[in-house]
Amino acid sequence: MRITVQQLRHIMDLLAPTVNSRSEGPAQYMLFKGGFAVSNNGHMAIAVALPELEEETFLVPHKNLLESLKFIPASTLLEVTSENNSISVKGTTGGFTTNLWSEDSVNFPDFPVFEKTGGGEVDGDALVNNLKEVVGYASKQVTRPVLTGVCFTLGDQLEVAAADGNRLAWRTLPIRLPAVEDQPPRVVIPAQAFRALERLWKIVDKKSRPSENFEPERLTSNPHLHVASLASGRRYIDI
């Protein structure tokens, strides 16, 4: 794999929320496989598209690689190769080589694969900004796991709530996220997942795009929708 230091640092920054550098197991590594870089600590997983990756598959220790790149110029082109659980990182334009010990990639937990049966595409900025104000009310006591998350009540208007036993925050969002038939309309998602999402939302590509689900006839059928807000570029999240 050939990649610049700047690109690799960006990938590692995106994966950081689900890396546990103190772990002695797979959680300290990043998996490079099938055109993606993946981190998985057993509770959350993040995958980032990596077109530079071809048919190679290998694990890289996140902390050790980060230390190796600390003083390397951002524009340096790297060649990353693996052999017998050893990772070689060579600067093709910088004249340096470092070797990192790794593990067999078969020990890395699989990235979860979901069969899409519900959900939809929502305005990411609206979702993240509103959740940011609610998630602080979630409990931090691990003995009350259901309160350590944010409750979504699905429907034509998304309701979100968080509580710690003493305080409660509740908000209705102008976001349509229908429930699947024959399934409960509520789901609790861990607060730490939203904190990771908020961080990712700040540092990922800021390019806006039109919604793939946008229907022009909605402009006239729904008086609450404004032409200006629909025409402006937005960033969307598929849930």
Side-chain angles (χ1 to χ4, degrees):
M1 175 181 71
R2 288 199 168 196
I3 188 172
T4 65
V5 170
Q6 182 177 9
Q7 289 174 298
L8 188 52
R9 283 176 179 161
H10 179 63
I11 294 291
M12 296 175 69
D13 196 20
L14 292 171
L15 298 180
T18 49
V19 172
N20 184 356
S21 59
R22 298 179 180 180
S23 169
E24 295 183 356
Q28 65 177 307
Y29 292 97
M30 303 173 294
L31 174 67
F32 292 84
K33 179 180 180 180
F36 285 89
V38 180
S39 60
N40 189 337
N41 62 13
H43 301 283
M44 291 190 297
I46 296 174
V48 180
L50 188 59
E52 293 82 2
L53 190 64
E54 297 178 352
E55 300 298 324
E56 303 160 282
T57 299
F58 51 86
L59 290 178
V60 180
H62 187 278
K63 181 180 179 180
N64 293 347
L65 181 57
L66 200 60
E67 289 291 329
S68 300
L69 301 179
K70 187 179 293 185
F71 303 108
I72 308 302
S75 60
T76 302
L77 180 63
L78 302 175
E79 184 172 355
V80 184
T81 57
S82 66
E83 184 177 359
N84 297 327
N85 294 339
S86 177
I87 308 300
S88 173
V89 183
K90 180 179 180 181
T92 60
T93 58
F96 79 94
T97 301
T98 182
N99 292 315
L100 305 172
W101 176 252
S102 182
E103 289 187 12
D104 196 320
S105 60
V106 298
N107 298 322
F108 196 83
D110 291 333
F111 191 82
V113 177
F114 298 97
E115 179 184 355
K116 187 172 181 179
T117 58
E121 191 180 60
V122 302
D123 182 341
D125 291 319
L127 180 68
V128 172
N129 291 334
N130 281 282
L131 284 175
K132 186 166 53 177
E133 300 179 10
V134 174
V135 73
Y137 288 81
S139 175
K140 296 180 175 60
Q141 299 181 29
V142 295
T143 55
R144 309 182 74 183
V146 72
L147 294 183
T148 61
V150 176
C151 180
F152 275 26
T153 301
L154 309 177
D156 289 336
Q157 285 191 318
L158 179 64
E159 296 182 18
V160 294
D164 61 5
N166 298 303
R167 306 174 304 157
L168 182 145
W170 173 86
R171 176 165 291 185
T172 299
L173 308 184
I175 292 175
R176 185 176 185 274
L177 198 62
V180 181
E181 291 185 10
D182 302 325
Q183 289 188 6
R186 291 188 178 90
V187 59
V188 178
I189 303 178
Q192 64 174 353
F194 286 121
R195 295 189 181 100
L197 173 62
E198 180 189 356
R199 182 180 178 279
L200 288 169
W201 201 243
K202 291 179 180 178
I203 58 179
V204 295
D205 185 5
K206 298 298 191 295
K207 293 180 182 179
S208 60
R209 63 172 177 80
S211 169
E212 295 177 355
N213 299 328
F214 173 61
E215 301 171 358
E217 56 270 21
R218 295 176 65 203
L219 290 174
T220 56
S221 64
N222 191 335
H224 299 292
L225 296 177
H226 301 285
V227 176
S229 64
L230 285 169
S232 62
R234 293 184 180 180
R235 301 162 64 207
Y236 291 86
I237 291 178
D238 188 36
I239 299 182

